Amino acid sequence: MDDVLDDLIHLADPPGTSGHVVALRVLKRPDPGSEFLDCEFTVSTETATGRAPHCAS
């Protein structure tokens, strides 16, 4: 894993359109030997943004 944490999944409308984004972002690096990633789902629109924690294996 690189030094920079990033989105595992990033789906977005093309630039100049409605700006909707759905992403699954890694929050921290996994502990050695861990089978899980600490992540969060993020959904953004022009008027609202929501986040929900998630643990991925």
Side-chain angles (χ1 to χ4, degrees), residues 1 3 15 28 33 39 41-42 44 52-53:
M1 190 178 271
D3 289 341
K28 69 174 191 170
C39 302
F41 280 106
T42 304
S44 300

Side-chain angles (χ1 to χ4, degrees), residues 12-33:
D13 288 335
T17 61
S18 61
H20 298 128
V21 177
V22 176
L24 178 62
R25 175 160 289 188
V26 177
L27 297 176
K28 69 174 191 170
R29 287 182 179 71
D31 295 326

Side-chain angles (χ1 to χ4, degrees), residues 3-56:
D3 289 341
V4 177
L5 298 179
D6 206 356
D7 294 345
L8 291 177
I9 299 170
H10 186 93
L11 305 172
D13 288 335
T17 61
S18 61
H20 298 128
V21 177
V22 176
L24 178 62
R25 175 160 289 188
V26 177
L27 297 176
K28 69 174 191 170
R29 287 182 179 71
D31 295 326
S34 175
E35 297 180 9
F36 298 97
L37 292 173
D38 288 326
C39 302
E40 73 178 0
F41 280 106
T42 304
V43 178
S44 300
T45 69
E46 309 85 35
T47 57
T49 297
R51 291 186 168 102
H54 183 70
C55 192

